[in-house]
Amino acid sequence: MKGLQVAIDGPASAGKSTVAKLVAKRFGYVYCDTGAMYRSVTLAALQKGINVEDQAAVTKVAQAIQITFKPGEPEQRVFIDGQEVTEAIRSNEVNANVSVVAAVPAVRKEMVAQQRKIAEAGGIVMDGRDVGTTVLPDAEVKIFLVASAYERARRRFEENKQKGIATTTLAELQAAIERRDKLDSEREVSPLTQAEDAIRLDSTHLSIEEVVDEISAIIKKVE
Ligand code: C5P
């Protein structure tokens, strides 16, 4: 049977990637992290010394680089033109600039075209901000995953501590997350919004396992 298209959208640090990866594994589907693609464009631009406000220059970068994924634990590995950037795309500098890059219409056009190609054959779990609304409007399963800003910051804080990443305070992390949510929700092209036919899941009081189980049950019903 042909696999489904599963779209998981939501605000920053709601646990989309963790959950999407586990759901993909459970169903033998491909996992695609669209945020990693916008992060890769941002990193490549910063490395070239480009001002992220320079839309034409950032667009050229998006069109020129080749972003590829390889399975990996605990994270999927990401490459720009064959160079591994899995960790580099999660830096504070990329966090601070990615929403500006992701708001450039021509950058989005390029990324969306690549994402649709990846999802073409079905059997895909794709996570991001606009997957259910724009990238895959016909996806059979659409989830909008949310959690309170405090809980999202708390989880990220604990994760950074475990990974040994030098981090800011919990309050600063929460402020950065809220800033990114605001930019993502208020941009003109494909803002972060729940698709009309998406199922909203609030993970504030749920474990990763519980979220994965809920989404899996939804997929099984449709399959
Ligand atoms: O999901 P993640 O936090 O890694 O995404 C990083 C940023 O990329 C988001 O804050 C958003 O600005 C952008 N993004 C987007 N559309 C997507 C995925 C991510 O605009 N589909």
Side-chain angles (χ1 to χ4, degrees):
M1 186 180 31
K2 179 179 167 284
L4 306 180
Q5 290 181 334
V6 179
I8 303 182
D9 292 299
S13 299
K16 299 183 299 292
S17 306
T18 308
V19 162
K21 222 182 88 172
L22 289 169
V23 170
K25 207 170 178 182
R26 207 174 267 193
F27 288 85
Y29 285 7
V30 170
Y31 164 55
C32 176
D33 176 354
T34 62
M37 298 173 75
Y38 291 98
R39 287 173 178 277
S40 296
V41 176
T42 307
L43 178 68
L46 292 171
Q47 283 175 340
K48 287 185 193 333
I50 289 167
N51 176 351
V52 295
E53 306 279 347
D54 182 345
Q55 299 207 352
V58 169
T59 301
K60 265 198 190 150
V61 172
Q63 290 166 343
I65 63 171
Q66 207 191 1
I67 305 162
T68 47
F69 296 103
K70 277 189 195 161
E73 287 300 335
E75 267 183 303
Q76 188 177 44
R77 298 169 69 197
V78 187
F79 299 80
I80 299 176
D81 297 330
Q83 285 265 340
E84 178 150 18
V85 294
T86 311
E87 284 182 12
I89 59 168
R90 309 276 161 201
S91 70
N92 286 337
E93 202 190 0
V94 172
N95 283 342
N97 288 285
V98 63
S99 292
V100 175
V101 170
V104 178
V107 169
R108 300 203 70 82
K109 193 170 165 213
E110 180 63 33
M111 293 301 113
V112 169
Q114 292 186 21
Q115 289 154 11
R116 285 184 180 148
K117 246 204 186 118
I118 294 170
E120 216 169 42
I124 181 112
V125 183
M126 190 172 269
D127 80 326
R129 302 293 185 288
D130 63 336
V131 181
T133 53
T134 306
V135 184
L136 306 175
D138 297 327
E140 291 92 344
V141 175
K142 296 182 186 178
I143 307 291
F144 198 73
L145 189 62
V146 299
S148 73
Y150 173 78
E151 177 61 16
R152 289 184 281 137
R154 194 193 63 73
R155 288 178 190 165
R156 189 44 52 96
F157 188 74
E158 290 302 323
E159 195 182 311
N160 287 349
K161 214 161 66 179
Q162 270 182 13
K163 282 187 186 163
I165 297 174
T167 191
T168 44
T169 64
L170 184 56
E172 280 167 336
L173 258 182
Q174 184 173 338
I177 283 175
E178 285 173 340
R179 196 161 50 238
R180 202 137 63 82
D181 286 350
K182 186 168 154 59
L183 284 170
D184 292 343
S185 306
E186 292 179 356
R187 68 173 175 232
E188 297 230 338
V189 186
S190 303
L192 169 68
T193 42
Q194 180 175 344
E196 270 182 25
D197 50 351
I199 296 171
R200 190 181 186 89
L201 263 183
D202 187 336
S203 77
T204 307
H205 304 292
L206 297 179
S207 68
I208 291 167
E209 272 297 295
E210 288 171 322
V211 178
V212 171
D213 284 347
E214 283 220 24
I215 297 175
S216 298
I218 295 165
I219 295 173
K220 279 192 194 128
K221 251 194 236 160
V222 178
E223 239 182 2

